Amino acid sequence: MSTTIMPPGRCAGCGHDLVSAAPESAPWCPGCLWNLDEYDPALAPWRGTKLVGRWGFRRGLRIDRATRAELSADPDAGPDGTSTGEVWLSAVSVVLGLVGAVAVGYLVWLLLASGLPAGVRVAFALPAVLVLLLVKPAFGRVPRTGVLSERDAPQLHRLVGDVARAAGTPVPDVICADLSINAGVARLGWRQRSVLVIGVPLWVMLPRPARVALLAHELGHLANGDPRRVRRTLLARTFGARAVAATGGRNPWLRAVHGADSVAVHGGGLVALLSLVVHAFLGLVNVLGATAQLLVDSVAMPDSRRAEYRADLMARRVAGTDAFLQSCEVVLLADRVWSELWHLAPRIDGEQLDAMAAELREHQAPKLRLARQLSRRGTDLWSTHPGEDQRMRLVETLPRVDGTLHVDESRWADLDRELAPWRRAVHHALLGTRDRY
Ligand SMILES: [Zn+2]
Ligand SMILES: [Zn+2]
């Protein structure tokens, strides 16, 4: 998070200067962490209302604390069978599946056997069609571009295979590269194949051992009992998101007002009223969908959060404590390093990206402490990952380990050669976005 920190006074407890991330946001003490865990609407993820946001933020903190305590006592414990979260999401999926089946049955009856006039049939069919659109599974799509086959990238496949072996996880079905500052594992397509996506900008910013930590974390997701990454929870995981997307995304009320405003400017009062009614209806569906999804997810999130920490413990085991902590630090500084690279792009070429990123990381290191503390404010119950600070704390409480997988420099050099076209693509992306200004 790139925020300017401004000092708003002194801590009554330890005398340290207080800091604050934005003028309207609550100050905290970087020395004794006073007030750090305060809900901050300016930084916490927006969840429709402050009430829900605050509840999710506090619940997230409690779950983080409990999960860290549990896992630091027994860091090597694997997931024990099916989690409560998975049972819950599977049950919701079954109910949604039944609702869909009833809607299909009703439609078949309406069209073939009801004997009603055609116009009435169409009118009666509409609600069932809407229900079907809502509960239809969203499989997602395996990316078409950026897929790195074993022939294109044998070294990368070999490395991913080694990490999977060291971690005791399956290998992903597909490996992709893209230009995001991110990485992830998802189940996509109607066969729900496991897809590992490596954001090359993040990859080049990471020191080499930290790349192993990143891969181990992601592969850890294929075997850590995360209820939100299992095939049979698909319906429950996606129905609310679909309602939100179908009705135009976030902030529906704002859109309703703006929509009516602009119609009022261009047209008459009646049209504006009608538009307001339509927008309000869409807004209602939107908020109901989002809330239902948050409620369903809140039951599964503790297990999902535990799975994230387990993936981190996997990264620690395979890549070692230092590599894992480095990977967290890079994530914390990634946006800043990226924007510095953006400024430097015309003066370097793609081959120099890694070295440049390493230099910039050093340069930004003094900002790490506050960025790390601040990561606690930007995370809540529904965040996909715990804040970096929470993740680092768990690993820091455990004994330092070296990791079980070591990749020698010549292999890294081969890997770099293999990904050279992607480095050039990253460099072009940096130059390309500059051209727009
Ligand atoms: Zn203090
Ligand atoms: Zn993860």
Side-chain angles (χ1 to χ4, degrees):
M1 206 171 297
S2 330
T3 32
T4 359
I5 308 277
M6 34 208 129
R10 257 170 205 291
C11 172
C14 72
H16 201 290
D17 277 336
L18 295 181
V19 292
S20 155
E24 71 280 15
S25 109
W28 84 92
C29 171
C32 65
L33 304 189
W34 169 82
N35 214 32
L36 176 60
D37 288 339
E38 193 56 27
Y39 171 63
D40 190 343
L43 300 176
W46 181 243
R47 304 298 180 189
T49 64
K50 270 191 199 172
L51 193 76
V52 176
R54 184 178 297 115
W55 180 81
F57 179 77
R58 293 195 178 147
R59 178 115 181 86
L61 275 178
R62 275 199 301 279
I63 288 176
D64 275 327
R65 207 167 299 140
T67 313
R68 277 208 329 262
E70 175 199 324
L71 289 177
S72 57
D74 189 6
D76 296 319
D80 32 36
T82 311
S83 65
T84 331
E86 189 176 332
V87 172
W88 162 250
L89 287 184
S90 307
V92 173
S93 297
V94 169
V95 171
L96 290 171
L98 284 175
V99 168
V102 168
V104 169
Y106 167 77
L107 277 177
V108 170
W109 168 81
L110 195 68
L111 296 179
L112 300 180
S114 65
L116 293 166
V120 178
R121 270 189 275 175
V122 170
F124 279 16
L126 271 177
V129 171
L130 284 179
V131 166
L132 272 183
L133 286 178
L134 208 64
V135 299
K136 182 168 96 57
F139 293 113
R141 206 175 272 159
V142 177
R144 294 221 181 95
T145 53
V147 174
L148 296 169
S149 69
E150 194 157 0
R151 225 188 41 205
D152 303 333
Q155 291 292 338
L156 183 65
H157 275 262
R158 192 177 145 211
L159 178 66
V160 170
D162 286 350
V163 173
R165 230 181 331 279
T169 67
V171 286
D173 299 320
V174 180
I175 302 178
C176 287
D178 71 9
L179 294 178
S180 64
I181 308 181
N182 208 344
V185 160
R187 292 203 178 271
L188 297 171
W190 63 273
R191 282 192 287 162
Q192 292 281 281
R193 289 194 296 164
S194 55
V195 180
L196 167 68
V197 182
I198 299 172
V200 185
L202 179 61
W203 185 261
V204 299
M205 282 187 233
L206 288 165
R208 286 167 169 176
R211 292 174 189 170
V212 175
L214 177 82
L215 290 178
H217 173 96
E218 295 308 337
L219 295 188
H221 279 307
L222 296 175
N224 62 3
D226 188 343
R228 287 158 48 86
R229 288 169 201 267
V230 181
R231 282 191 185 90
R232 57 200 175 97
T233 62
L234 178 71
L235 283 180
R237 282 186 278 125
T238 51
F239 81 103
R242 180 181 292 271
V244 171
T247 50
R250 290 174 57 160
N251 294 326
W253 304 125
L254 218 62
R255 242 186 347 269
V257 174
H258 287 169
D261 271 359
S262 69
V263 175
V265 170
H266 298 293
L270 189 68
V271 184
L273 185 71
L274 245 159
S275 151
L276 189 66
V277 169
V278 170
H279 276 96
F281 173 72
L282 291 180
L284 188 70
V285 175
N286 187 304
V287 169
L288 287 179
T291 312
Q293 186 74 65
L294 286 180
L295 282 172
V296 167
D297 284 355
S298 57
V299 182
M301 277 328 268
D303 287 320
S304 184
R305 192 56 66 91
R306 187 176 299 110
E308 286 299 337
Y309 284 117
R310 273 202 195 111
D312 286 344
L313 293 175
M314 186 74 85
R316 167 184 172 265
R317 268 198 296 280
V318 174
T321 301
D322 297 344
F324 171 77
L325 293 175
Q326 266 183 337
S327 73
C328 291
E329 291 180 354
V330 169
V331 170
L332 282 169
L333 296 177
D335 286 343
R336 290 187 176 90
V337 172
W338 183 250
S339 71
E340 298 273 315
L341 278 177
W342 185 81
H343 286 291
L344 287 173
R347 276 174 279 144
I348 58 173
D349 67 35
E351 292 306 310
Q352 290 166 281
L353 276 178
D354 301 42
M356 222 54 229
E359 212 170 285
L360 293 169
R361 240 178 20 241
E362 284 301 307
H363 196 238
Q364 298 283 346
K367 303 214 168 92
L368 255 179
R369 187 166 79 122
L370 289 187
R372 179 175 162 176
Q373 292 179 357
L374 206 50
S375 71
R376 296 168 77 104
R377 288 245 175 127
T379 317
D380 72 359
L381 173 66
W382 299 287
S383 302
T384 54
H385 286 79
E388 304 303 322
D389 182 52
Q390 310 271 13
R391 304 173 62 183
M392 294 168 85
R393 266 162 196 257
L394 171 63
V395 169
E396 283 164 348
T397 54
L398 300 170
R400 200 188 147 277
V401 293
D402 270 335
T404 52
L405 179 66
H406 295 280
V407 182
D408 61 49
E409 291 302 309
S410 73
R411 259 183 88 184
W412 282 119
D414 289 345
L415 256 162
D416 280 353
R417 248 191 310 283
E418 194 173 275
L419 292 177
W422 277 97
R423 275 189 175 68
R424 282 197 292 280
V426 171
H427 189 232
H428 283 155
L430 284 164
L431 290 173
T433 46
R434 287 180 65 91
D435 290 346
R436 275 190 232 137
Y437 294 98

